[in-house]
Amino acid sequence: MRYSFAYDFISEHCSDDGNLVLIVIKVNNNIFTLVNVYGPNNDTPSFYKRIDTLLQQVPHENIIIGGDFNFAVDRVMDSNYINETNMHAKKTFLNIATKYGLIDSWRHTHPHDREYTWFKRCPLKCGRLDMFFASEHLLSHISEASIQPGYRTDHCQISITLKSMHHQRGPGLWKFNESLLQDENYSTLIRSCIANVIQQYPVPIYSKDFTTNPSNFKKIQFLD
């Protein structure tokens, strides 16, 4: 995170075991709920149910959940595992992701790639266990999702780059105040202005009597 990154802190929740941290921040006019997880090594669906409970208590328009989930979403594409691991925990979280419209950002940007974030030797075992799940509408703002080598760890570093969602407002559209039509002085002024313009730019085939008659205004052709 850049030191110049400006945000307003709203709230936080940290689990006693340190495996789950949730913060709510405001960036410009957008509220973000950010969740960091370190999923248990064993099959513990109750851990992910806690995330659902917390999300029900905070704004969930813009959600990003990232960390080590300790399961591979797709055994074939995301691991070399022979058997599924932590199946119940995975099912619980994926149901939560569906509930809140969360998408695996790396898989969204790399639909056919096979890369892993965790490795074990002897025997070789690897899986993409570290992920960022983001609200679906945020995907258009994610310019990059990457997996990079880690330092002194068996896990890789994962990152996403989120483009600014702050848009400057334009000048807007002009809208006529219809109440002015009830103002007789204003209406007289506009009618006079229209008549004067018509007198200045008609094709020179009309008589003055014709161009000064309001009933003919719609019939008059003008010079380019």
Side-chain angles (χ1 to χ4, degrees):
M1 180 183 295
R2 294 180 180 176
Y3 290 108
S4 60
F5 179 72
Y7 66 92
D8 294 320
F9 181 81
I10 297 177
S11 65
E12 71 173 337
H13 171 85
C14 300
S15 64
D16 293 336
D17 55 15
N19 286 9
L20 176 60
V21 178
L22 180 150
I23 65 171
V24 180
I25 62 174
K26 183 177 182 180
V27 182
N28 296 323
N29 293 319
N30 299 296
I31 304 296
F32 288 87
T33 296
L34 309 178
V35 185
N36 181 232
V37 303
Y38 176 44
N41 290 318
N42 53 5
D43 197 3
T44 312
S46 60
F47 173 82
Y48 294 102
K49 291 179 181 179
R50 291 159 60 190
I51 296 178
D52 186 23
T53 300
L54 290 173
L55 290 178
Q56 294 178 42
Q57 302 172 34
V58 297
H60 44 259
E61 179 181 353
N62 302 304
I63 300 174
I64 299 177
I65 302 178
D68 177 5
F69 291 80
N70 261 312
F71 61 72
V73 172
D74 186 314
R75 182 182 62 82
V76 176
M77 290 293 293
D78 296 321
S79 75
N80 71 341
Y81 298 172
I82 297 176
N83 300 310
E84 292 278 4
T85 59
N86 298 341
M87 292 179 57
H88 296 95
K90 176 172 72 172
K91 181 179 179 180
T92 298
F93 177 77
L94 293 182
N95 286 338
I96 294 170
T98 299
K99 176 180 178 180
Y100 293 98
L102 306 178
I103 305 296
D104 178 353
S105 58
W106 189 89
R107 178 54 67 201
H108 175 78
T109 54
H110 304 78
H112 307 296
D113 294 348
R114 288 185 179 177
E115 291 190 39
Y116 309 114
T117 65
W118 171 79
F119 300 88
K120 177 183 178 182
R121 297 180 180 179
C122 299
L124 178 62
K125 195 173 183 180
C126 49
R128 190 170 66 89
L129 311 183
D130 305 84
M131 297 168 280
F132 281 107
F133 282 80
S135 298
E136 185 172 8
H137 64 271
L138 291 178
L139 297 179
S140 61
H141 297 279
I142 294 177
S143 60
E144 183 181 7
S146 65
I147 297 174
Q148 301 172 342
Y151 175 67
R152 299 182 68 177
T153 174
D154 55 356
H155 284 259
C156 290
Q157 171 185 303
I158 63 170
S159 65
I160 58 174
T161 302
L162 190 66
K163 296 182 292 185
S164 173
M165 296 173 61
H166 179 64
H167 303 286
Q168 292 185 347
R169 295 188 61 179
L173 300 175
W174 178 81
K175 185 177 181 180
F176 177 70
N177 184 356
E178 295 182 359
S179 65
L180 291 173
L181 296 176
Q182 309 302 319
D183 186 327
E184 185 59 34
N185 291 332
Y186 179 83
S187 298
T188 300
L189 176 63
I190 295 301
R191 283 194 291 266
S192 175
C193 181
I194 293 174
N196 290 335
V197 171
I198 289 175
Q199 296 303 309
Q200 295 178 52
Y201 303 106
V203 174
I205 60 174
Y206 306 107
S207 67
K208 185 174 182 179
D209 290 340
F210 188 90
T211 59
T212 56
N213 187 342
S215 63
N216 296 326
F217 285 176
K218 293 183 179 180
K219 305 174 186 178
I220 298 174
Q221 292 183 315
F222 297 92
L223 296 170
D224 293 336

